[in-house]
Amino acid sequence: MTILTFTLLLLAGAYLAGLVGSLTGLGGGVVIIPLLTLVFHVDIRYAIGAALLASIANSSGAASAYVKEGITNIRLGMFLEIATTVGAVVGALIAVYTPTNTIAILFGSILLFSAAMTLRKKNQEALLVGSPAANKLKLNNSYPTKDGEVSYKLKNVGAGFSIMTVAGIFSGLLGIGSGALKVLAMDSTMHIPFKVSTTTSNFMIGVTAAASAVVYLQRGYMDACIAFPVVLGVLCGAFTGSKLLPRIDAKVLKYIFCTAIAFVAVEMIYNGYNHKF
Amino acid sequence: MKNINSKQPLADHDIEQFIGLQLRFGVVLSSLIVLTGGILYLVQSGGMALPHYQQFIGEKAGFTTGREIWYGAIGMQAKGIIQLGVVVLIATPILRIFFSLIGFIVEKDRLYILITLVVLSVMMFSIFGGLKV
């Protein structure tokens, strides 16, 4: 294969990854790693570097729109970024001592978990009574809906913070945004309305990914010739996705995608178990 | 004054708008740089055989330090330009933390100035801490 063929194929693949990633809310990174390793037989370390860039591109691109709408809770994001960035740095450090096959198995497991999380019931209710910690940290806020501003309060700040640290470690170790874990912390544990938790999670992914990306860049995980089609493809795909999202019913797509992702996850785990990475 | 009924103080709203613009600008700028380097790269070596990506060579491939990338990009080396775009992309969310810090300083929100400074120090530790090994 020549470099040109590889670039064009990867560009198309990354475009689809960004498109599907933004339609389902899973982000581009989770598709980039299996695409590069299983289809193009690229070493998983290059795939992780590329996925981190895809996560940053996706997050910054989408966050620029959400932040302006005032849905994102910037204080909450900033507070939880302490947990995710520390986790991400720890993850990037552990990565050196983790065999690539173990990384593949971990990645597959997180993928299965993310697919399940995407399909579960969402928390729409705004909590009326918050915990003292949430009050002290000024985490309670409000967000615009069709029926006007809705105030929400939150609880279990400590537990949410802990899950965020774990999300950061996985993000640093595997190069993904760990959006599913972030939403689990905010949505299920801290009881934040779904719309706020997804946009705030997305807002944080860029900073979390950047925390480990600088380490991986220095280690040579980011190859220019892989980064080029991945960054451009994912960005264009995510942009198309954001335009399509209001006009199509993403529900069916979600089921199809999650089934497909589950198969990919099993293959990653299987290959990792058989030491194929 | 359309912000008069807003739930947030004016500074908060302004900083949200500004962060939104800054993120967009960073993403567009980095993709333009990556595109320039990418086209140059394809023109120069598009017909060549693909490197052996099955094998990880890491730092030996070059362009892993700020210095190398900067001089590579100035010297119009395709890979150096692409990596410069990658650096701009990674720097975009990091800059966002700086701008949030300024926002919290304007609002005199001491607690969040402190929280933002903690996040920034973690980031700086990650960049300059020599963690690559």
Side-chain angles (χ1 to χ4, degrees), chain A residues 94-109:
Chain A
I94 305 175
V96 188
Y97 306 101
T98 315
T100 46
N101 288 300
T102 311
I103 289 185
I105 295 172
L106 276 175
F107 177 78
S109 318

Side-chain angles (χ1 to χ4, degrees), chain A residues 37-157:
Chain A
T37 55
L38 299 178
V39 181
F40 291 105
H41 302 290
V42 168
D43 187 285
I44 196 164
R45 281 162 284 194
Y46 288 127
I48 289 174
L52 274 173
L53 295 178
S55 303
I56 299 176
N58 229 332
S59 157
S60 303
S64 66
Y66 293 137
V67 170
K68 283 177 152 185
E69 285 167 27
I71 306 172
T72 312
N73 187 332
I74 294 186
R75 281 198 169 75
L76 176 67
M78 195 53 88
F79 170 64
L80 292 176
E81 272 165 13
I82 297 179
T84 62
T85 48
V86 169
V89 172
V90 171
L93 287 179
I94 305 175
V96 188
Y97 306 101
T98 315
T100 46
N101 288 300
T102 311
I103 289 185
I105 295 172
L106 276 175
F107 177 78
S109 318
I110 289 285
L111 217 51
L112 281 178
F113 170 74
S114 308
M117 281 291 291
T118 311
L119 298 178
R120 90 201 189 294
K121 234 180 136 241
K122 277 46 179 199
N123 172 37
Q124 304 274 20
E125 294 289 305
L127 203 63
L128 295 176
V129 186
S131 67
N135 212 11
K136 223 173 204 165
L137 288 161
K138 297 185 246 185
L139 300 177
N140 304 323
N141 208 323
S142 64
Y143 73 110
T145 65
K146 269 180 250 166
D147 319 310
E149 287 282 326
V150 172
S151 301
Y152 58 89
K153 300 209 159 79
L154 42 98
K155 58 178 186 181
N156 301 330
V157 177

Side-chain angles (χ1 to χ4, degrees), chain A residues 154-188:
Chain A
L154 42 98
K155 58 178 186 181
N156 301 330
V157 177
F161 194 84
S162 313
I163 301 177
M164 280 299 173
T165 314
V166 178
I169 293 177
F170 276 116
S171 175
L173 192 59
L174 306 174
I176 51 173
S178 330
L181 268 168
K182 289 193 169 81
V183 174
L184 174 76
M186 289 194 268
D187 213 290
S188 309

Side-chain angles (χ1 to χ4, degrees), chain B residues 64-81:
Chain B
T64 58
T65 63
R67 217 185 135 79
E68 250 182 308
I69 294 172
W70 180 244
Y71 285 109
I74 287 189
M76 289 307 279
Q77 282 178 273
K79 282 190 187 179
I81 301 177

Side-chain angles (χ1 to χ4, degrees), chain A residues 214-243:
Chain A
V214 285
V215 180
Y216 283 128
L217 178 74
Q218 294 170 23
R219 279 188 197 150
Y221 275 51
M222 286 165 187
D223 186 89
C225 322
I226 299 178
F228 151 56
V230 165
V231 168
L232 294 180
V234 165
L235 269 178
C236 295
F239 181 74
T240 316
S242 66
K243 295 277 158 209

Side-chain angles (χ1 to χ4, degrees), chain B residues 32-78:
Chain B
L32 286 178
I33 300 175
V34 168
L35 182 68
T36 313
I39 291 173
L40 191 66
Y41 176 68
L42 284 183
V43 170
Q44 286 172 349
S45 32
M48 284 200 244
L50 195 67
H52 289 286
Y53 285 129
Q54 296 94 320
Q55 271 150 23
F56 181 71
I57 51 165
E59 286 171 75
K60 286 190 274 298
F63 299 112
T64 58
T65 63
R67 217 185 135 79
E68 250 182 308
I69 294 172
W70 180 244
Y71 285 109
I74 287 189
M76 289 307 279
Q77 282 178 273

